[in-house]
Amino acid sequence: MRIAIAGAGIGGLALALSLDAAGFRDVTLYERTPQLRGLGVGLNLLPHAMRELTELGLADRVAALGVAPATLAYFNRFGQPIWSEPRGREAGYAWPQLSVHRGRLQLMLRDAVIERLGDAIRLDHRLVAVTDRADGATARFATGGGEVEAEADVLIGADGIHSALRALRYPDDGDPAWSGLTLWRGTAVVPPFLDGRTMIMAGDGDQKFVAYPLEAPRPDGLQRLNFIAERRGEGSADADWNRTVDPAPIAELFRDWRFDWLDVPAAIAAAEEILEYPMVDRDALPRWSFGRTTLLGDAAHAMYPNGSNGGSQAILDARTLAFQLATAASIDEALAVYDDIRRPATAKLLEMTRQTGPEKVMLLARERAPRGFADVHDVIPATELEQIAADYKLAAGFHPDALGQRSSLTVPA
Ligand SMILES: Cc1cc2nc3c(=O)[nH]c(=O)nc-3n(C[C@H](O)[C@H](O)[C@H](O)COP(=O)(O)OP(=O)(O)OC[C@H]3O[C@@H](n4cnc5c(N)ncnc54)[C@H](O)[C@@H]3O)c2cc1C
């Protein structure tokens, strides 16, 4: 079976590795950029995605890239604690959660593709058109040397939030929808905060700061921190992952956020580079699979980053699609079953991220105690906090019980 993948991001590379593990040998990745430069800042891999990377034999290589946060903690904009929960192995999962640099993860996956599949990546190939056939698809790519075509039995659009395949299937889809919030993403080397293994979120629906360590503390005692500073009403709706801005005005927006456990404006000011990105997503689709083509990752279900799902859900898509292609009675059935399994699951999650997902606790705290509180349980009962956290994990497919019981997506040899 000839399989063509448009896009060598996290989802496309994970799909190539999953297809290889499922026994497919004729897999080619077509990537728009002339060079994979490992761009981006931090990204979280939740235990359900780590399960898949572990079953692909990549656990140690991913673990070497980052830090496994042991705790996730929510605070209000005064730095007062709202909710905290153990994460990863500390929460009883058989697999860790990992905070990694998105670019380092992408380059590691690329290296694994080259080791396992050989010369399978065609750079400088931008998908521009698709011709459907009863038994496959012809993909047309724009390259530096003109347009080229590739025949495939199956074509997968793993080409990100501005997916060309999605636009071909849904010409009226338009630009991603902006929530009105702008994210400023960066990394900075700063003194460790809390226990050095905690991911924090502070603030509410109008202004927020998310931070987690990306590396173990260095010999000089400092640690690389990843952060996302967020505010309503600033910036633009243009979803360009690579737009850089000056840190100083962003630090100024957070000037009062000097907590006794973290100096937020100092961390922002220390960033080498700040990337501005609007909080955008796309509506859920009625269908991903058309003929011998389908969508995967952000191309299929771009969603807000709250809940840390972008990379993890793309990896789940990849493993599910490879499993179906290897085990279903036909290619058509595989694409239909993949669509039936993954589309409703990600649509539900998309809906939850629009309602701010597990971060709802921060909104409730602001609503009920805008000037802060002495004890959070005076304003939000413990049972309500517990329910919000549990509901989200169930919907995202990483509730410890559900994840432990789910059958493996590894194709039996
Ligand atoms: C440059 C960049 C930086 C990012 N930084 C972060 C970050 O810091 N933190 C975070 O959480 N998420 C980041 N993301 C998004 C994150 O990678 C995704 O949300 C998630 O991993 C899902 O992966 P994906 O493979 O679906 O999409 P992506 O990882 O976005 O990959 C899509 C790939 O398709 C390629 N492509 C696009 N159009 C075409 C086309 N027409 N033909 C062929 N190839 C095409 C793109 O160049 C890209 O390599 C970034 C994405 C990009 C592209």
Side-chain angles (χ1 to χ4, degrees):
M1 193 187 301
R2 285 167 308 174
I3 305 177
I5 305 169
I10 307 303
L13 292 164
L15 176 62
L17 292 164
S18 304
L19 290 166
D20 174 71
F24 295 100
R25 295 291 163 256
D26 193 347
V27 177
T28 310
L29 280 142
Y30 299 89
E31 163 59 40
R32 177 186 61 177
T33 54
Q35 199 191 350
L36 287 183
R37 287 189 292 141
L39 298 172
V41 286
L43 176 148
N44 267 280
L45 294 168
L46 300 174
H48 50 338
M50 281 309 299
R51 174 177 179 180
E52 302 313 326
L53 293 171
T54 302
E55 293 188 20
L56 284 171
L58 296 168
D60 292 346
R61 290 170 78 165
V62 187
L65 297 178
V67 170
T71 308
L72 170 64
Y74 297 88
F75 299 82
N76 64 7
R77 59 168 65 204
F78 310 107
Q80 297 166 322
I82 299 171
W83 166 258
S84 86
E85 61 183 33
R87 297 299 272 196
R89 290 194 196 281
E90 277 73 5
Y93 290 98
W95 302 275
Q97 173 171 337
L98 276 175
S99 303
V100 296
H101 186 278
R102 184 241 176 219
R104 293 181 69 195
L105 174 67
Q106 185 187 22
L107 296 183
M108 185 281 285
L109 294 173
R110 175 204 60 187
D111 292 348
V113 165
I114 293 169
E115 286 159 28
R116 297 178 185 186
L117 287 87
D119 179 24
I121 306 177
R122 306 278 170 274
L123 296 172
D124 188 22
H125 277 64
R126 180 168 59 88
L127 180 71
V128 289
V130 176
T131 309
D132 295 299
R133 290 182 280 99
D135 60 348
T138 306
R140 185 142 21 99
F141 299 95
T143 76
E147 292 204 347
V148 297
E149 284 191 345
E151 300 289 329
D153 300 309
V154 186
L155 168 70
I156 298 102
D159 47 349
I161 188 162
H162 301 294
S163 167
L165 183 57
R166 178 177 175 130
L168 290 169
R169 297 305 185 205
Y170 294 93
D172 299 330
D173 205 26
D175 290 329
W178 186 33
S179 66
L181 287 161
T182 296
L183 315 174
W184 294 283
R185 303 171 300 127
T187 74
V189 178
V190 295
F193 66 93
L194 300 174
D195 64 355
R197 286 187 63 201
T198 295
M199 176 172 181
I200 66 102
M201 302 196 186
D204 46 60
D206 292 327
Q207 188 161 348
K208 198 171 79 185
F209 189 76
V210 179
Y212 50 85
L214 270 186
E215 291 171 354
R218 303 167 169 209
D220 62 5
L222 300 176
Q223 187 172 32
R224 184 168 292 280
L225 172 84
N226 183 83
F227 66 81
I228 305 170
E230 183 180 312
R231 189 166 148 118
R232 189 171 295 283
E234 315 279 332
S236 85
D238 174 22
D240 172 359
W241 285 109
N242 301 320
R243 185 168 56 246
T244 57
V245 295
D246 178 14
I250 318 300
E252 181 58 20
L253 293 174
F254 286 82
R255 64 182 174 277
D256 298 332
W257 296 44
R258 293 184 196 277
F259 311 143
D260 54 9
W261 49 272
L262 176 67
D263 186 333
V264 172
I268 298 173
E272 294 90 355
E273 182 180 66
I274 299 234
L275 297 160
E276 183 176 284
Y277 192 77
M279 173 97 109
V280 287
D281 68 2
R282 287 190 181 275
D283 288 338
L285 293 175
R287 187 171 157 193
W288 294 352
S289 301
F290 292 83
R292 291 295 188 82
T293 75
T294 196
L295 299 168
L296 179 147
D298 281 4
H301 50 68
M303 57 183 92
Y304 297 157
N306 49 31
S308 313
N309 268 294
S312 298
Q313 294 297 323
I315 291 167
L316 286 183
D317 291 346
R319 290 279 290 166
T320 305
L321 179 55
F323 182 84
Q324 289 304 328
L325 284 169
T327 57
S330 66
I331 296 177
D332 296 324
E333 186 184 310
L335 296 181
V337 174
Y338 162 71
D339 195 315
D340 282 350
I341 296 174
R342 294 298 299 154
R343 203 172 37 76
T346 50
K348 186 166 176 204
L349 201 50
L350 181 88
E351 196 47 46
M352 290 193 89
T353 58
R354 283 182 175 174
Q355 292 159 16
T356 67
E359 296 169 28
K360 198 168 150 191
V361 295
M362 298 158 82
L363 273 63
L364 287 180
R366 174 90 190 275
E367 207 176 282
R368 297 179 192 176
R371 290 192 192 78
F373 43 73
D375 180 342
V376 68
H377 296 135
D378 295 340
V379 289
I380 316 178
T383 46
E384 192 176 354
L385 291 166
E386 281 157 18
Q387 193 61 49
I388 292 169
D391 284 352
Y392 185 73
K393 291 195 191 76
L394 265 180
F398 75 110
H399 192 280
D401 299 343
L403 182 57
Q405 284 157 18
R406 175 167 70 62
S407 58
S408 169
L409 292 170
T410 295
V411 177

